[in-house]
Amino acid sequence: MKIRIVALSLLLFGALLDASAQENIRVGLGSISLQSGLVHIGRDRGLFAKYGLSTEAIYIPGGSTNVQVLVSGNLDLSQLSGAPGVAANLQGADIVYFAGLLDKLNYQLIARSDIKSIDQLKGKKFAVSRYGSSADFGMRAMLKRVGIDPVKEATILQIGDEPARIAAITSGNVDGTVVNAPFSSEAERLKLSVLADSVKMNVPFFNTGLLGSKRFLDRQDARVMNFLRAYLEAIKVLKTEREYSVKALAQFTRVSNVKALQEGYDYFVNQLANVPYPSVEAMQAVVAQIAESNPKARGIDAKSYVNDRYLKRLEEEGFVRKLWGK
């Protein structure tokens, strides 16, 4: 009995040492989406622990709110679209994006079931999460692309996250919104109209990426590198293990519609690179849109808002080649 107690004590002590040896990293998620699920996969498969990290994922709806928490130091990193980071930098922040998962606008424009064409959207009310958020920028960009002036021919209202915006349509409080693509299966179930797809429009836009303050990235270089090692492994799991990934994403998003999840998985995976370098062109598109209403953004070079040094180092050291076996 004494031997068993001693053995158990040693095991518990060893577990405590392992836990204390891990460095904590707090990651803000601006949405509960498939791309945000990469952090969940990394935790579920023990990939962050493999590299000595205890990763805490914190959901903070709305990109502008998320960035405020990041700038305050209560988050270490975030996963967001480019717009909130650019807006914060124009106000004096020191944010940089070091990975970019999606470099095209990734929204679908949906509306009430009785609205069947783009022409019917003029003069209607549209829901976004918050002004200055990615949904707000996506909405305005898509309306422009389909020939509707978002200032003169539409009313844009702050409603909340995606479920709240969809509820606002089904209740009749607004006429349309943008949702993360794809939404066809869910739209069919809710009897809503999908009127436009931004990916098919091929609209450059820094849709989703990883960011942090320059101060944190410079001071925590090793921690950021380890985070990216685990993150790139999570990307490989997502791209090569479809059955597991769909189940993991269902658990993370709490979406029970398997057909919709499979549709979303296939849509997202086809756009995701093995090594997600941040796109300067996509970030410049964000800057250009902000410059239309904010003079501070005019003449800004988007190169100052992205940094690919970490991913380059992982390629140079052979990590990516070893991970993918090529």
Side-chain angles (χ1 to χ4, degrees), residues 45 236-246 265:
R45 292 292 286 262
K236 183 184 179 185
V237 170
L238 180 79
K239 297 186 75 170
T240 60
E241 298 182 35
R242 187 177 189 271
E243 184 178 354
Y244 160 78
S245 296
V246 169
Y265 171 88

Side-chain angles (χ1 to χ4, degrees), residues 180-228:
N180 282 295
F183 195 73
S184 300
S185 296
E186 195 66 6
E188 184 178 347
R189 184 181 72 83
L190 295 170
K191 296 181 172 57
L192 298 175
S193 299
V194 178
L195 299 177
D197 187 320
S198 64
V199 171
K200 292 178 182 177
M201 292 175 174
N202 198 32
V203 182
F205 195 79
F206 201 99
N207 192 287
T208 304
L210 294 170
L211 63 151
S213 70
K214 291 178 183 177
R215 182 177 182 181
F216 177 83
L217 296 176
D218 289 341
R219 292 186 175 187
Q220 301 295 333
D221 183 86
R223 208 166 9 150
V224 174
M225 287 291 286
N226 281 330
F227 179 86
L228 275 177

Side-chain angles (χ1 to χ4, degrees), residues 21-23 25 42 46-55 77 98 210 216 220-234 310 313-314 317 319:
Q22 291 184 341
E23 292 185 283
I25 193 162
L47 301 177
F48 292 113
K50 175 182 176 181
Y51 293 101
L53 297 176
S54 172
T55 302
L77 305 173
F98 57 95
L210 294 170
F216 177 83
Q220 301 295 333
D221 183 86
R223 208 166 9 150
V224 174
M225 287 291 286
N226 281 330
F227 179 86
L228 275 177
R229 290 185 179 99
Y231 199 84
L232 292 192
E233 287 205 34
Y310 300 103
R313 279 163 57 189
L314 289 177
E317 71 182 29
F319 176 84

